[in-house]
Amino acid sequence: MPGELYHLAAFLIALTVVWWSTPIINRFGRQRGLVDNPKNDENNRKMHRRPMVRLGGVSIFAGTITALLLVWVFGGFGWLPPNKEWEIWGVTLGGVAFFLIGLADDLYNLSPMRRLILQTVVASCAWGVGVRIDFLSVPFADLVQLGWFSLPITVIWLVGMANAVNWIDGLDGLAAGGCGISAVVMMVLTLFMEQPAAALIAAALAGAALGFLRYNFNPAQIFMGDGGAYFMGFTLAGVGAVGLVKVAAVATVAVTAVLLPFVVLAVPIVDMSAVIISRISQGKSPFSADKRHLHHRLIQAGISHRLTVLFIYALTLWVGSIALGLSNIPSGWGFAIGATVLLGSVGWQAWRKSRKLRS
């Protein structure tokens, strides 16, 4: 079977599993009382007004893993070299571990420090089997080999992205749609970089994330919870590490290749960085809950829930299209121009809504 069909199969299998399993998980969560009740929100950050099951990440996880296992059984990963096989297993099993950490937090409310320690241990193990960032790019210079500094850099990347996705999961459909868009871009980039195994992981994650939108877009029927957010964030970061940064040493656009995953995931990265800097500058813990995120600020500006989500979707697609252009993919800059027009259109609508409310 042609390789492209395996990627399509991974996407469709994940999407189908999510569509089928999410209502079952939703019923189970309601029967067991496993809900996120806005009445228990001490910081008044919750945007929903009724109790919501927050176990939707189980279906995202199940869809992605089922798709990858079936593709693997039917030979979709081909004859990978031992080092590549370890990298793919590192991303997959690391995603499983991050999902379990998030699920435990959804069920038992782990402390931030305990979550961070567990995530650091898992990310370090993933680094040990090859999921690592070995290079950094310096403007107007060659790639810089990190050596043992690769460990802390990789851990910060993997743990940081998992938490960044979790932090943007504040509106119906925001994290699922944003990660789905990023996963599709990652799939295209890794296929172009001739990394089909990494592209399979991205395809499965894209199918699961976008399939979940059927139940998670505003008004949401179910939330993904920390389990789903951690799983998607780690998996995207892992695909970026093994599917893009790894080819930097041989790619014709080596310096650019190192930057691609950071460009694709720029929205949650910048949002998280800005919030942390803002909190620290005011003498607060970077883990303290507040309403400083981009989606909170847009809502406060008077933009509707749906338009806020659509604007951040457009922003995510725009930075992804910039990555396509930087990678020298045919018509990549054409996609970037189209995404710029789309972002401008949605941004104009958001500005009009905000201005109308102020007047």
Side-chain angles (χ1 to χ4, degrees):
M1 184 164 66
E4 293 79 6
L5 291 182
Y6 281 115
H7 296 85
L8 178 60
F11 179 92
L12 293 177
I13 291 170
L15 184 143
T16 302
V17 171
V18 170
W19 278 6
W20 170 78
S21 63
T22 302
I24 298 174
I25 294 168
N26 199 10
R27 287 195 299 270
F28 174 83
R30 292 192 180 281
Q31 291 170 357
R32 299 298 181 91
L34 304 174
V35 297
D36 185 353
N37 194 331
K39 294 181 179 179
N40 299 329
D41 181 19
E42 298 178 354
N43 298 294
N44 194 30
R45 296 176 63 250
K46 305 293 184 183
M47 304 301 295
H48 59 289
R49 293 293 175 261
R50 60 187 177 88
M52 298 285 292
V53 174
R54 55 179 302 180
L55 297 178
V58 175
S59 64
I60 295 174
F61 167 78
T64 305
I65 297 300
T66 300
L68 292 176
L69 287 175
L70 288 176
V71 168
W72 176 65
V73 167
F74 288 101
F77 284 92
W79 295 96
L80 292 175
N83 64 316
K84 280 294 177 185
E85 189 173 357
W86 274 109
E87 290 173 8
I88 299 304
W89 279 113
V91 174
T92 304
L93 295 178
V96 172
F98 265 74
F99 165 74
L100 293 175
I101 293 171
L103 182 63
D105 185 44
D106 290 329
L107 297 175
Y108 305 111
N109 195 24
L110 303 180
S111 68
M113 187 54 64
R114 181 170 297 181
R115 293 198 304 268
L116 185 61
I117 292 173
L118 291 173
Q119 291 169 352
T120 301
V121 170
V122 173
S124 299
C125 293
W127 176 88
V129 298
V131 184
R132 59 178 65 175
I133 297 173
D134 293 316
F135 317 93
L136 284 181
S137 60
V138 177
F140 311 109
D142 294 329
L143 295 175
V144 177
Q145 292 275 357
L146 292 176
W148 279 101
F149 284 106
S150 169
L151 175 58
I153 295 294
T154 302
V155 169
I156 291 172
W157 168 244
L158 296 174
V159 173
M161 274 312 308
N163 285 279
V165 169
N166 189 44
W167 283 13
I168 68 168
D169 185 27
L171 296 179
D172 296 352
L174 181 54
C179 286
I181 293 169
S182 297
V184 171
V185 174
M186 284 279 196
M187 179 185 69
V188 174
L189 288 171
T190 48
L191 282 173
F192 181 72
M193 296 291 182
E194 298 183 353
Q195 300 292 311
L200 278 169
I201 299 177
L205 185 65
L210 296 177
F212 187 65
L213 279 180
R214 177 180 178 181
Y215 306 101
N216 186 237
F217 194 72
N218 181 260
Q221 303 174 40
I222 186 173
F223 293 161
M224 71 173 63
D226 291 356
Y230 286 160
F231 174 71
M232 291 196 301
F234 174 87
T235 303
L236 283 172
V239 169
V242 304
L244 296 176
V245 176
K246 284 291 184 182
V247 300
V250 296
T252 57
V253 284
V255 173
T256 303
V258 176
L259 298 175
L260 291 180
F262 303 96
V263 176
V264 174
L265 300 171
V267 172
I269 291 173
V270 172
D271 179 70
M272 183 182 194
S273 301
V275 169
I276 289 177
I277 293 172
S278 175
R279 290 172 181 171
I280 293 177
S281 66
Q282 295 187 7
K284 297 182 179 180
S285 167
F287 302 108
S288 61
D290 53 35
K291 290 187 175 182
R292 301 170 190 259
H293 293 285
L294 174 61
H295 56 273
H296 288 132
R297 296 181 185 276
L298 292 174
I299 292 290
Q300 291 165 2
I303 303 172
S304 68
H305 187 128
R306 285 195 173 192
L307 189 54
T308 293
V309 172
L310 292 176
F311 174 78
I312 298 178
Y313 283 176
L315 188 60
T316 303
L317 181 62
W318 180 71
V319 295
S321 70
I322 296 296
L324 295 178
L326 290 173
S327 67
N328 289 335
I329 287 179
S331 301
W333 288 115
F335 286 116
I337 293 172
T340 302
V341 173
L342 177 62
L343 177 61
S345 175
V346 178
W348 169 254
Q349 294 181 49
W351 180 79
R352 286 183 58 195
K353 291 281 187 181
S354 175
R355 184 180 180 185
K356 183 178 180 180
L357 180 70
R358 288 197 300 266
S359 61

